[in-house]
Short mmCIF file of all heavy atoms in Angstrom, two decimals:
data_model
loop_
_atom_site.label_atom_id
_atom_site.label_comp_id
_atom_site.label_asym_id
_atom_site.label_seq_id
_atom_site.Cartn_x
_atom_site.Cartn_y
_atom_site.Cartn_z
N ALA A 219 -9.15 -0.05 18.48
CA ALA A 219 -7.99 0.71 18.84
C ALA A 219 -8.30 2.18 18.84
O ALA A 219 -7.91 2.92 17.91
CB ALA A 219 -6.79 0.41 17.90
N PRO A 220 -9.09 2.67 19.85
CA PRO A 220 -9.57 4.06 19.77
C PRO A 220 -8.44 5.08 19.80
O PRO A 220 -8.64 6.25 19.41
CB PRO A 220 -10.38 4.15 21.12
CG PRO A 220 -9.99 2.99 21.93
CD PRO A 220 -9.56 1.90 21.00
N TRP A 221 -7.24 4.70 20.20
CA TRP A 221 -6.12 5.67 20.18
C TRP A 221 -5.78 6.14 18.76
O TRP A 221 -5.16 7.18 18.55
CB TRP A 221 -4.85 5.04 20.82
CG TRP A 221 -4.48 3.74 20.24
CD1 TRP A 221 -4.89 2.49 20.65
CD2 TRP A 221 -3.61 3.49 19.14
NE1 TRP A 221 -4.31 1.49 19.88
CE2 TRP A 221 -3.53 2.06 18.94
CE3 TRP A 221 -2.88 4.31 18.27
CZ2 TRP A 221 -2.79 1.53 17.96
CZ3 TRP A 221 -2.13 3.73 17.28
CH2 TRP A 221 -2.10 2.34 17.10
N LEU A 222 -6.20 5.33 17.74
CA LEU A 222 -5.92 5.72 16.36
C LEU A 222 -6.62 7.02 15.99
O LEU A 222 -6.08 7.82 15.25
CB LEU A 222 -6.42 4.64 15.40
CG LEU A 222 -5.57 3.36 15.29
CD1 LEU A 222 -6.35 2.28 14.54
CD2 LEU A 222 -4.24 3.66 14.59
N ALA A 223 -7.81 7.21 16.52
CA ALA A 223 -8.63 8.41 16.14
C ALA A 223 -8.84 9.39 17.26
O ALA A 223 -9.61 10.31 17.10
CB ALA A 223 -10.01 7.92 15.64
N SER A 224 -8.14 9.18 18.36
CA SER A 224 -8.31 10.13 19.47
C SER A 224 -7.71 11.42 19.13
O SER A 224 -6.56 11.53 18.64
CB SER A 224 -7.74 9.56 20.74
OG SER A 224 -6.34 9.37 20.61
N SER A 225 -8.40 12.53 19.45
CA SER A 225 -7.86 13.89 19.26
C SER A 225 -8.52 14.79 20.26
O SER A 225 -9.60 14.54 20.78
CB SER A 225 -8.16 14.41 17.84
OG SER A 225 -9.57 14.40 17.59
N PRO A 226 -7.83 15.86 20.67
CA PRO A 226 -8.42 16.76 21.67
C PRO A 226 -9.76 17.31 21.21
O PRO A 226 -10.00 17.62 20.04
CB PRO A 226 -7.35 17.92 21.75
CG PRO A 226 -6.10 17.33 21.17
CD PRO A 226 -6.53 16.31 20.15
N SER A 227 -10.68 17.39 22.19
CA SER A 227 -12.04 17.93 21.83
C SER A 227 -11.95 19.42 21.60
O SER A 227 -11.09 20.12 22.20
CB SER A 227 -12.99 17.66 23.00
OG SER A 227 -12.49 18.21 24.19
N LYS A 228 -12.73 19.87 20.66
CA LYS A 228 -12.69 21.29 20.34
C LYS A 228 -13.71 22.04 21.15
O LYS A 228 -14.85 21.58 21.40
CB LYS A 228 -12.99 21.47 18.83
CG LYS A 228 -11.92 20.87 17.94
CD LYS A 228 -12.32 21.07 16.46
CE LYS A 228 -11.26 20.45 15.54
NZ LYS A 228 -11.63 20.64 14.15
N PRO A 229 -13.36 23.27 21.64
CA PRO A 229 -14.29 24.04 22.39
C PRO A 229 -15.46 24.50 21.55
O PRO A 229 -15.35 24.71 20.38
CB PRO A 229 -13.46 25.22 22.88
CG PRO A 229 -12.35 25.35 21.82
CD PRO A 229 -12.07 23.98 21.42
N SER A 230 -16.60 24.56 22.21
CA SER A 230 -17.80 25.01 21.49
C SER A 230 -17.72 26.50 21.23
O SER A 230 -17.21 27.24 22.05
CB SER A 230 -19.05 24.69 22.36
OG SER A 230 -20.20 25.31 21.77
#
Side-chain angles (χ1 to χ4, degrees):
W221 52 270
L222 285 169
S224 62
S225 57
S227 58
K228 295 180 181 179
S230 171

